[in-house]
Amino acid sequence: MIVMKFGGSSVADAERIRRVAEIVRAQLARKPVLVLSAMGDTTDHLLEAADDAYRKGLVSIDRIENLHLKALRDLKLSPEARKELSPLLKELQSLLSGISLIRELTPRTRDYLVSFGERLSVRITAAYLRSTGIKAKAYDAWELGFVSDSGFTEAKLIKESWSLIPEKIIPLVREGLLPVVTGFIAQDVNGNITTLGRGGSDFSATMIAASCKAEEAQVWKDVDGILTADPRIVKDAKPVETVTYEEAAELAYFGAQVLHPRAMEPCIKSGTPVLVKNSYNPPAPGTRIVPFFEKKTLPVRAITSRRNVTLVDIVSTRMVGQYGFLSEVFSAFARRRFSVDMVATSEVSVSLTLDAVHDLGEVRKELSQIASVDIRTGKAIVTIIGNVKRSSEILARAFRTCQLLGVTVQMVSQGASKVNISFIVNDTEAPEVVKALHMDFFDILEVPGKIEKTGPGKPAQAAGAAQSGKGGAV
Ligand code: ASP
Ligand code: MG
């Protein structure tokens, strides 16, 4: 058995759904289970429709209805398929009317509302697969053991899901059925619909693969795999052939946007390999994510940036040797459920970063009683994912690059992770730093036995460092 997950742009319209069917057909012998996102930008459109109903009292499902009914027509599906969609569209319409009447939009209602995207897409795709002779059937994830807590908009599956999911799915696959399952959604123990966080269908897929001990989880996207950098910043960013789970998780978190940051968790437990493929370019090899592997000579695997973060410097006004300072600082953030990303500390100070979405007024007031607090917005985290056994070389080259660009590094963290070196620069400087680092670390020709620089004007010291580098497994 394998799990094949297709994201929104891979099922955006009839044409894309036909491509999905071809890709699935080619691997039918491997007994696939499909996991789908909502079609195209449907999740965003649903959230906009909810907002219109809530704020302006406007109720319209036109955009969503048109997209799905057009796909039905273009795929020449039978009236039965339409009958499967109609009740969902009606329910959606009533829900929006309800929101517009009571002018209330709780996280619970939002989750119920966005669930329609995935529920519609699995029904259309399963109907199309059936029309091509494949024994496919659509399922809402809660029919197949996806039970979560009640953390609406960011729910976590309860641990019983590890046994519930295979108990439901494995018999279906044995029967010769191809289950087409909604990604992203679940139900809590009271039967309320929940969602697993934006982009959460990657997690749904890896969870099925891991709990059913599938041979592999394939995540089909619209790019050729995990790239060495964001292609919008670095034009010649290349797909990375293999990465470890840890590297993939760090990359996802620090801005690579290819996989959901938590998608690696189930596979880390089970050791299931994940393959990231491009549904727009199926022959491309993609990126394979595995527990570990022997690294090649390149010290760096990929470079990412996380934009628009806020840097907070907190310097204790108490004496050196005090205890409890760090715990007071972190509990001020934790109590407000603010997620701190990067941290660097000294005896009397701590610097940390958060996404710019948080209002830090209260935290500042609270911490000002024990420390001087300096908050600076407009920063970016640049993250280098690589072989931290070669951290001195990576840091030397990265700092040299920043120096040549005239960019001041404002905080550094290597952390306990064996794969991540991160530093802070001004947000406006991030793209040029990423570009220059990419050029320094990747613009090289690999010759068996040694590495040579090809680009002109590289610092001699950096070229030397590359040549003397040894490979090593993490
Ligand atoms: N449709 C949801 C979203 O856009 C979940 C997903 O695509 O993974 O976030
Ligand atoms: Mg999506």
Side-chain angles (χ1 to χ4, degrees):
M1 168 184 159
I2 58 170
V3 176
M4 303 174 84
K5 183 253 156 170
F6 293 88
S9 71
S10 298
V11 289
D13 54 28
E15 167 68 25
R16 300 309 312 163
I17 292 173
R18 283 199 193 94
R19 297 288 295 159
V20 166
E22 277 167 35
I23 293 169
V24 170
R25 183 173 289 284
Q27 300 196 60
L28 269 186
R30 300 177 76 190
K31 299 192 181 306
V33 172
L34 252 56
V35 174
L36 302 183
S37 291
M39 288 176 67
D41 295 325
T42 298
T43 306
D44 290 327
H45 294 166
L46 283 163
L47 289 169
E48 282 160 29
D51 221 50
D52 284 347
Y54 169 61
R55 281 184 212 291
K56 306 180 199 147
L58 289 176
V59 175
S60 165
I61 64 163
D62 289 355
R63 196 157 49 157
I64 291 147
E65 181 162 26
N66 291 343
L67 175 81
H68 291 88
L69 295 185
K70 179 169 186 332
L72 275 189
R73 283 194 305 275
D74 292 350
L75 291 168
K76 303 192 171 42
L77 293 177
S78 64
E80 273 83 87
R82 171 140 198 181
K83 272 194 219 137
E84 273 191 274
L85 298 196
S86 300
L88 286 175
L89 290 168
K90 279 211 189 85
E91 192 181 334
L92 172 60
Q93 173 99 32
S94 327
L95 179 59
L96 285 170
S97 304
I99 294 170
S100 79
L101 281 176
I102 55 174
R103 295 291 175 100
E104 191 179 86
L105 183 55
T106 60
R108 186 174 91 172
T109 309
R110 268 169 81 101
D111 276 2
Y112 174 24
L113 189 119
V114 290
S115 75
F116 286 93
E118 271 69 12
R119 292 156 81 190
L120 290 165
S121 80
V122 293
R123 283 164 175 79
I124 292 181
T125 307
Y128 178 67
L129 289 169
R130 282 197 298 275
S131 79
T132 70
I134 295 174
K135 259 183 81 187
K137 186 159 187 259
Y139 290 93
D140 295 327
W142 50 83
E143 299 175 84
L144 300 181
F146 277 78
V147 183
S148 74
D149 61 18
S150 306
F152 297 104
T153 76
E154 285 285 344
K156 309 252 176 334
L157 295 185
I158 61 170
K159 63 175 188 309
E160 286 77 7
S161 293
W162 278 89
S163 53
L164 291 171
I165 293 171
E167 271 164 30
K168 298 282 187 185
I169 291 188
I170 291 174
L172 299 176
V173 174
R174 287 218 175 106
E175 252 173 59
L177 206 68
L178 191 156
V180 184
V181 189
T182 55
F184 182 46
I185 58 179
Q187 266 181 0
D188 70 8
V189 286
N190 301 316
N192 296 305
I193 296 175
T194 58
T195 65
L196 308 174
R198 290 306 305 266
S201 42
D202 290 343
F203 181 87
S204 309
T206 52
M207 183 63 195
I208 294 178
S211 64
C212 296
K213 302 194 169 58
E215 201 184 311
E216 157 180 295
Q218 300 177 358
V219 180
W220 290 80
K221 302 263 163 180
D222 55 6
V223 287
D224 280 346
I226 295 181
L227 303 181
T228 51
D230 182 341
R232 286 165 303 186
I233 297 177
V234 179
K235 282 206 188 59
D236 60 347
K238 303 172 234 341
V240 187
E241 212 178 287
T242 317
V243 296
T244 63
Y245 294 142
E246 200 181 344
E247 289 170 338
E250 298 265 357
L251 274 167
Y253 187 71
F254 286 101
Q257 290 187 351
V258 172
L259 283 175
H260 187 270
R262 289 186 36 233
M264 290 303 112
E265 286 170 19
C267 291
I268 289 171
K269 286 195 192 147
S270 63
T272 316
V274 180
L275 187 59
V276 183
K277 293 275 289 178
N278 187 354
S279 75
Y280 288 72
N281 183 17
T287 298
R288 181 163 281 280
I289 311 174
V290 294
F292 58 87
F293 70 105
E294 281 296 310
K295 295 200 170 173
K296 289 199 298 195
T297 39
L298 281 185
V300 169
R301 181 90 56 225
I303 299 161
T304 69
S305 57
R306 189 176 177 96
R307 305 291 298 273
N308 200 15
V309 304
T310 298
L311 175 60
V312 186
D313 287 324
I314 302 156
V315 182
S316 172
T317 42
R318 296 184 194 158
M319 277 181 329
V320 170
Q322 280 273 359
Y323 50 83
F325 173 62
L326 285 181
S327 92
E328 275 181 63
V329 168
F330 285 109
S331 73
F333 289 96
R335 264 184 275 114
R336 295 173 176 88
R337 297 172 139 248
F338 289 179
S339 161
V340 170
D341 298 326
M342 249 177 91
V343 184
T345 61
S346 76
E347 169 72 7
V348 291
S349 73
V350 51
S351 299
L352 48 84
T353 69
L354 300 95
D355 279 340
V357 291
H358 306 297
D359 177 1
L360 295 175
E362 280 180 36
V363 177
R364 182 204 286 272
K365 220 158 116 199
E366 181 178 330
L367 291 178
S368 292
Q369 291 163 13
I370 55 164
S372 73
V373 181
D374 181 23
I375 297 174
R376 286 177 280 159
T377 55
K379 305 294 170 190
I381 304 175
V382 174
T383 296
I384 302 178
I385 302 293
N387 182 353
V388 172
K389 282 190 181 155
R390 291 170 68 178
S391 63
S392 301
E393 174 197 342
I394 296 171
L395 284 166
R397 288 170 68 176
F399 287 163
R400 175 96 179 114
T401 300
C402 288
Q403 186 198 5
L404 289 173
L405 292 172
V407 166
T408 304
V409 172
Q410 301 172 38
M411 170 182 165
V412 187
S413 157
Q414 183 180 321
S417 152
K418 291 189 280 305
V419 301
N420 169 339
I421 291 173
S422 291
F423 54 90
I424 299 286
V425 297
N426 287 333
D427 189 67
T428 49
E429 296 163 341
E432 61 171 333
V433 170
V434 170
K435 250 186 241 164
L437 288 173
H438 194 271
M439 202 189 282
D440 183 35
F441 285 113
F442 292 101
D443 215 4
I444 45 182
L445 239 188
E446 242 177 301
V447 182
K450 68 172 184 186
I451 294 173
E452 273 173 12
K453 286 264 165 187
T454 54
K458 295 289 155 42
Q461 184 195 344
Q467 278 169 4
S468 62
K470 291 188 211 70
V474 165

